[in-house]
Every structure is written in structure tokens, then in C-alpha cells.
């Protein structure tokens, strides 16, 4: 049975998760390259994962770690779809700039 982590270590992990999430958010908003935006989304996912695992260890409960596995599975599916979409968009316009796709027609 793993031992719970103390409050100081929990706060360190939460700060790390917040920093990762913030960097991902800033990168997603500031950059226009589709691949960079995609990687920033993954960085935000990892920030959430660090926080979930920290809370799981703090409460000595495996529910958080189970939820992390679910989040990672969703992230892998999202990565496959996003990469396929980025390749398709690049083949159509020969650019990865998100502004090129701002005016999508149906």
C-alpha cells in the first residue's frame, strides 16, 4: 500500500501541473501553426494528468490514476484524429497556418 504524500509535495505537483497547463494554454492561444497548437493541447493534458496523479497519491485512492488512464486513452485517440486532420488540411492548402482555415465553407 503506497503511503500518502504530504501537503508540501502535493502543492509542488499542483504547481507543476498548473505550469504545464498554463504553458499549453499560452502556446495554443499564441501560436498559429496547427502542429504546435496540437502539441500545446497535449501539454495541457499532461498538466491535468500530473494533478490527477498527485491528488490520487494524496488521498491514497486509485480512482485518480484510473481516470488518468482514461484521459491518456482519450488523448491518444485525439492525437490520431488531429494528426490525420492536420495531414488532410496540409494536403489541401499546403500550409499549417490556422488562419488559412478561419473561413471554412460548408
Amino acid at each position: 500500500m503506497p503511503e500518502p504524500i504530504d501537503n508540501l509535495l502535493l502543492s509542488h505537483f499542483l504547481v507543476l501541473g498548473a505550469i504545464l497547463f498554463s504553458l499549453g494554454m499560452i502556446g495554443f492561444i499564441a501560436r498559429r501553426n496547427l502542429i504546435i497548437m496540437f502539441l500545446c493541447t497535449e501539454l495541457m493534458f499532461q498538466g491535468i494528468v500530473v494533478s490527477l496523479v498527485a491528488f490520487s497519491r494524496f488521498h491514497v485512492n486509485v480512482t485518480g490514476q484510473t481516470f488518468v488512464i482514461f484521459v491518456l486513452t482519450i488523448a491518444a485517440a485525439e492525437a490520431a484524429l488531429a494528426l490525420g486532420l492536420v495531414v488532410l488540411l496540409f494536403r489541401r492548402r499546403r500550409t499549417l497556418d490556422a488562419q488559412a482555415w478561419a473561413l471554412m465553407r460548408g
Side-chain angles (χ1 to χ4, degrees):
M1 181 92 180
E3 294 188 19
I5 58 176
D6 60 349
N7 285 338
L8 182 63
L9 191 56
L10 175 66
S11 64
H12 289 166
F13 280 120
L14 292 180
V15 166
L16 175 65
I19 288 171
L20 287 175
F21 188 85
S22 299
L23 286 175
M25 180 68 81
I26 290 169
F28 187 82
I29 292 172
R31 303 298 297 261
R32 296 292 91 201
N33 186 319
L34 290 175
I35 292 178
I36 299 296
M37 292 171 73
F38 165 69
L39 290 175
C40 289
T41 304
E42 295 298 322
L43 194 59
M44 286 190 283
F45 269 127
Q46 296 309 313
I48 293 169
V49 163
V50 167
S51 298
L52 284 174
V53 169
F55 277 124
S56 176
R57 281 299 303 265
F58 181 73
H59 292 290
V60 191
N61 188 350
V62 294
T63 305
Q65 294 174 5
T66 305
F67 196 67
V68 164
I69 292 172
F70 177 72
V71 168
L72 289 178
T73 305
I74 296 298
E78 176 259 340
L81 285 173
L83 221 45
L85 184 63
V86 165
V87 169
L88 176 73
L89 294 176
F90 180 75
R91 286 183 181 171
R92 291 202 176 200
R93 295 220 178 152
R94 294 289 174 201
T95 182
L96 291 175
D97 187 18
Q99 285 299 103
W101 295 96
L103 299 175
M104 297 183 85
R105 290 176 281 166

